[in-house]
Amino acid sequence: MRKLVALRASVVGSTAMLLLIPFSSSNFITSVAGADPAPSESPAQLAVDQLPGELVEAIGRDLKISPAEYLNRAAKAQELGTYAREFRAERPESFAGAWMGQDGHPIVAVTSNEAAQIAARAGYQTRIAPISADGLERSLAELNRWISAMPREAATSVNSIAIDVLNSQLVVDIANSPAGHMLNLPTLLANVKVILSPGGGGANERTPMGGDTYVTARQALKDTPMAEIGVCSFGFNASDAAGRAINVTAGHCDPNAQGGGVNAPVFVPDPRDLDKSPEAGMFTHSTLGDPATGLDYALIELNSRAVRNGLDRPTVRGAGGTTLTITGTAAPVVGAPVCKSGQTSTFTCGVVAADRVETQLFTEDGTSRLVRGFASTACTLAGDSGGAIVTGTLALGITSGSNASTAPNCVEANLVLGPDGGTASLGIPIREIIANANSTGSASGLVIRTSQSPA
């Protein structure tokens, strides 16, 4: 789990730094760019009475809405995302952003009254903005180039840059340090607070699945010091054209993600004797801050034993609790409700706070990379990395990082982080992961397993 404490922290289990800004619900950030085209029809979602009890409890606790409203808002967000992509493609200089309002109504921002009338006729609330989303992204690229050319001491003072569409500006988060003060750039502190508490669940299944714990090391567990054993969460299950059963998780969970070997083994931990933990598969591909994509993901090829035990099913859960069946995939839309699973914090919920975030990743050799994803307000703790993020019952992304990584629980995380905007987590979009895996050949024909997948 990449931890982003006080907007700056080292990465658990590696030698990198990943930095993220928290977001305000009154300053939703959006770009609706770069994502793969959405399916022509939104996948069907489960009915309310099919949602697991643990997830229902998390929705009411964290989002303060009913399960029916959660599913409804998730569906509306995907409709908005599709409309926004089409609108932007046709009118790039008129489109200025799109998001779900706190009341659940979709909003489209535009730069002209004419464009506002077009969006209004389509049934959307509108906002007028002075700068298009394309214009803000050009400025973002220019600023990133300027930062990358700075000496490392100065560059590491820039925690992150994001696009604040509502205020038509770039938000630059600067470390409160002498080097940061010398940069004299604006800092925006967010103001989101999500009240969280530990929750229970319904009937539990004993077989492993997405959201459960896995441990990994460069070699056999018995030959690995405890400090070098990584702990992460299984994400979404998938399959490729060759029929391999694959789990999609976080790239930084692979101990060989930055070189130094391949095919690190993955184990389902045996709490009675860690050295006897059964192997569930191995990493076959990992990407961490690739210059072209900025993605953080890995593919675990599940072995026959894991498949026999049902690990390849289209289900996820949190911390061994009740299960959720995945019915399709989705793209991040600002304001859309989301819930994440993880082996530490179970199901927790929030909203998409930004559909595009770029954060700096500094490696031990002194180089820096950009990691790109989306931000949510769902509380995420150490060990949740790689776990599934859903909107409704659709696969949205996997967990990459959090500013609450070192907190013992989500209640304490909000008490500590509340004054600075609350919990903030970084997710990697599942559709971009699938597209990248297929285009690079790392898993040809990769598809997420859903309730419609063959048994």
Side-chain angles (χ1 to χ4, degrees):
M1 159 61 68
R2 301 191 178 284
K3 60 179 184 179
L4 315 167
V5 181
L7 314 187
R8 166 189 290 272
S10 61
V11 178
V12 175
S14 78
T15 55
M17 279 174 103
L18 188 61
L19 312 166
L20 182 65
I21 189 172
F23 299 91
S24 165
S25 58
S26 63
N27 280 317
F28 283 144
I29 302 166
T30 184
S31 63
V32 194
D36 292 319
S40 57
E41 295 183 5
S42 297
Q45 302 201 51
L46 299 179
V48 170
D49 59 5
Q50 294 176 294
L51 298 180
E54 188 182 31
L55 178 59
V56 169
E57 183 175 353
I59 292 167
R61 181 190 68 224
D62 301 344
L63 294 174
K64 305 296 188 290
I65 59 177
S66 69
E69 182 64 13
Y70 165 71
L71 293 174
N72 182 50
R73 291 189 185 188
K76 283 185 177 180
Q78 290 308 296
E79 293 172 1
L80 172 63
T82 299
Y83 178 79
R85 282 187 289 272
E86 294 172 351
F87 190 100
R88 183 175 188 171
E90 295 174 2
R91 305 170 184 85
E93 292 306 318
S94 297
F95 177 78
W99 63 91
M100 295 289 290
Q102 290 182 332
D103 59 0
H105 290 115
I107 301 169
V108 176
V110 293
T111 60
S112 68
N113 288 325
E114 179 184 2
Q117 292 172 0
I118 294 172
R121 285 197 295 270
Y124 293 99
Q125 296 181 10
T126 60
R127 300 277 180 85
I128 298 295
I131 304 174
S132 70
D134 278 4
L136 287 173
E137 289 185 3
R138 287 191 291 268
S139 297
L140 174 66
E142 292 174 4
L143 187 53
N144 271 322
R145 284 193 291 270
W146 175 72
I147 292 171
S148 65
M150 293 191 300
R152 176 166 180 168
E153 181 181 5
T156 54
S157 298
V158 181
N159 288 342
S160 67
I161 310 169
I163 298 174
D164 178 358
V165 175
L166 286 188
N167 294 297
S168 294
Q169 64 184 8
L170 296 182
V171 177
V172 185
D173 181 59
I174 304 296
N176 185 15
S177 66
H181 294 163
M182 290 177 63
L183 291 176
N184 196 28
L185 290 174
T187 298
L188 179 65
L189 295 180
N191 192 31
V192 171
K193 184 174 182 179
V194 181
I195 305 300
L196 300 168
S197 60
N204 295 347
E205 294 190 42
R206 294 184 180 276
T207 55
M209 66 182 65
D212 285 354
T213 310
Y214 70 82
V215 295
T216 184
R218 289 187 171 92
Q219 53 192 351
L221 293 179
K222 64 182 179 62
D223 299 324
T224 305
M226 285 296 295
E228 297 178 13
I229 296 177
V231 181
C232 283
S233 299
F234 286 113
F236 295 108
N237 286 313
S239 58
D240 66 3
R244 297 185 302 166
I246 294 171
N247 189 267
V248 183
T249 187
H252 70 263
C253 291
D254 181 357
N256 295 324
Q258 298 184 65
V262 295
N263 298 341
V266 170
F267 305 88
V268 175
D270 183 342
R272 295 164 298 184
D273 188 344
L274 189 63
D275 290 347
K276 294 182 179 179
S277 299
E279 185 172 333
M282 64 178 62
F283 288 101
T284 58
H285 174 78
S286 60
T287 296
L288 182 56
D290 177 77
T293 66
L295 298 177
D296 171 14
Y297 79 92
L299 305 179
I300 299 172
E301 182 176 351
L302 303 175
N303 60 27
S304 58
R305 178 175 183 171
V307 172
R308 286 197 304 272
N309 286 327
L311 183 53
D312 64 331
R313 291 177 297 168
T315 53
V316 298
R317 63 178 169 194
T322 50
T323 65
L324 173 68
T325 300
I326 301 303
T327 60
T329 65
V333 175
V334 172
V338 298
C339 295
K340 59 130 270 293
S341 71
Q343 65 96 26
T344 306
S345 59
T346 110
F347 280 119
T348 60
C349 301
V351 297
V352 175
D355 67 0
R356 178 172 175 177
V357 180
E358 297 186 353
T359 67
Q360 294 184 71
L361 174 67
F362 292 94
T363 59
E364 61 181 344
D365 61 5
T367 60
S368 66
R369 313 174 192 176
L370 285 181
V371 174
R372 300 183 180 93
F374 63 93
S376 84
T377 60
C379 178
T380 306
L381 303 177
D384 289 336
S385 273
I389 305 172
V390 300
T391 180
T393 59
L394 307 177
L396 182 65
I398 56 170
T399 296
S400 174
S402 169
N403 66 345
S405 178
T406 57
N409 55 61
C410 287
V411 174
E412 184 165 329
N414 277 274
L415 288 174
V416 173
L417 296 170
D420 291 326
T423 55
S425 301
L426 177 66
I428 309 300
I430 194 66
R431 287 184 179 172
E432 294 187 22
I433 291 173
I434 298 301
N436 180 260
N438 287 325
S439 66
T440 59
S442 55
S444 179
L446 188 68
V447 293
I448 295 296
R449 292 187 63 83
T450 70
S451 56
Q452 305 304 312
S453 300

